[in-house]
Amino acid sequence: MVAAVEPAGPRPRPVTPARVGLYAFLVITALFFLTPLYVMLVTSFKTMPEIRQGNLLGLPAEPSLQAWGHAWSAACTGLACNGISVGFFNSVKILVPSVIVSIAVGSLTGYALSFWRVRGASALFGALMIVAFVPYQIFIYPLVRIFATIGINNSIPGIVAIHTIFGLPTMTLLFRNYFASLPIELFKAARVDGAGFFRIYSSVMMPMATPMLIVAVILQVTGIWNDFILGLVFAGRENLPMTVQLNNIVNSTQGERLYNVDMAATLLTALVPLVVYFASGRWFVRGIAAGAVKG
């Protein structure tokens, strides 16, 4: 009787100069991007006397959250010293409707260009793609004049409309490519069953587009939350987003430069996009693979 031979496990890959070089490159790249984040983090927990000692990379001797509290509720962002919390809530008021409206309009446009062969659809899609690569700074002055004429400049509806306009080409491209990768038989079967334009969109297409929705949310949250110039121009003085108030904090030339407060305010501003990305990064990769880069 012959004893069964257990299958051998995977052989370890040999260590080659190319592999060593690859890992060295990855480690150096990671350190290059993580070192500034590390410096910001440890500096935000230091006191100003410790920062003046010049030990930039050293850990804080006596960690303190004082700078974080000051940045959130007491830092001067102009004439008022209410901290960056005011800008946080302004950014939320801008972000939520802007993300919802831009994704809703972009997904609907991408769906229409994928399955409903309207006249001039190719020309419209090409025009959207051309506009997507034109610097948006070119459109700021004409849009300011238009929005002032119709009475929505310096308001939440105005900045939401701006983010929808500038997000439409990218959102349309993402959803059009994703819907174009789906079997056309699904659309035809729904049409045979009597479903119309919006019923197919809401009951057939969007339930299948969860990975692409995650991609769109990550892109829009990151872009809208990090926006500076559009919020500065179109949001109005009472609705300035967090990025504008952060600029007022870190670029202030009055009094003592509080580096720990600057670092804490910067980290607080970047917190929302980081949380969104790390919470849904797996879905982001899946959405890209599912059709975000397909033609």
Side-chain angles (χ1 to χ4, degrees):
M1 184 176 180
V2 180
V5 179
E6 296 183 0
R11 296 181 179 179
R13 295 182 179 181
V15 178
T16 62
R19 183 170 297 277
V20 172
L22 174 62
Y23 280 103
F25 173 77
L26 293 176
V27 170
I28 293 173
T29 303
L31 290 175
F32 178 80
F33 287 102
L34 290 177
T35 299
L37 178 62
Y38 167 79
V39 172
M40 292 171 60
L41 190 61
V42 297
T43 303
S44 68
F45 290 107
K46 294 179 180 179
T47 61
M48 283 305 300
E50 185 178 357
I51 292 175
R52 294 190 188 98
Q53 294 176 5
N55 189 6
L56 186 65
L57 299 178
L59 293 173
E62 297 180 359
S64 172
L65 292 174
Q66 182 179 0
W68 289 75
H70 185 83
W72 179 254
S73 60
C76 293
T77 58
L79 297 178
C81 295
N82 299 323
I84 208 168
S85 58
V86 177
F88 173 82
F89 293 110
N90 288 339
S91 291
V92 171
K93 290 191 296 183
I94 295 172
L95 177 72
V96 174
S98 296
V99 170
I100 294 174
V101 174
S102 61
I103 292 178
V105 175
S107 61
L108 188 63
T109 308
Y111 158 69
L113 293 176
S114 300
F115 294 105
W116 297 84
R117 303 300 182 183
V118 297
R119 181 177 299 178
S122 299
L124 175 61
F125 182 70
L128 285 173
M129 293 305 100
I130 292 174
V131 173
F133 292 99
V134 176
Y136 63 83
Q137 290 85 352
I138 295 175
F139 303 105
I140 288 180
Y141 179 71
L143 287 173
V144 168
R145 299 289 295 177
I146 293 172
F147 279 29
T149 301
I150 62 180
I152 62 172
N153 195 33
N154 296 330
S155 65
I156 294 295
I159 188 62
V160 170
I162 286 296
H163 285 305
T164 301
I165 291 171
F166 287 112
L168 185 59
T170 303
M171 294 298 101
T172 300
L173 174 64
L174 291 179
F175 283 98
R176 176 189 177 275
N177 288 350
Y178 181 78
F179 290 140
S181 67
L182 298 178
I184 191 65
E185 288 76 13
L186 293 173
F187 173 76
K188 293 181 178 179
R191 291 285 288 165
V192 170
D193 291 338
F197 180 90
F198 289 102
R199 183 61 183 275
I200 298 175
Y201 168 76
S202 61
S203 301
V204 179
M205 297 302 164
M206 291 309 294
M208 302 180 63
T210 300
M212 191 53 56
L213 281 173
I214 301 298
V215 173
V217 167
I218 293 176
L219 291 178
Q220 287 299 89
V221 167
T222 303
I224 295 172
W225 188 272
N226 292 335
D227 168 67
F228 173 80
I229 186 65
L230 297 179
L232 178 65
V233 174
F234 293 98
R237 184 177 299 176
E238 301 300 324
N239 305 306
L240 292 177
M242 205 173 186
T243 49
V244 177
Q245 295 196 338
L246 172 65
N247 176 74
N248 294 342
I249 292 175
V250 300
N251 288 327
S252 175
T253 57
Q254 301 294 328
E256 181 185 16
R257 178 63 61 89
L258 301 176
Y259 295 104
N260 51 357
V261 175
D262 293 349
M263 298 304 178
T266 304
L267 290 171
L268 286 170
T269 304
L271 195 59
V272 169
L274 288 175
V275 170
V276 170
Y277 180 78
F278 284 116
S280 54
R282 177 172 58 91
W283 288 96
F284 180 81
V285 176
R286 182 181 300 181
I288 291 294
V293 295
K294 293 182 180 179

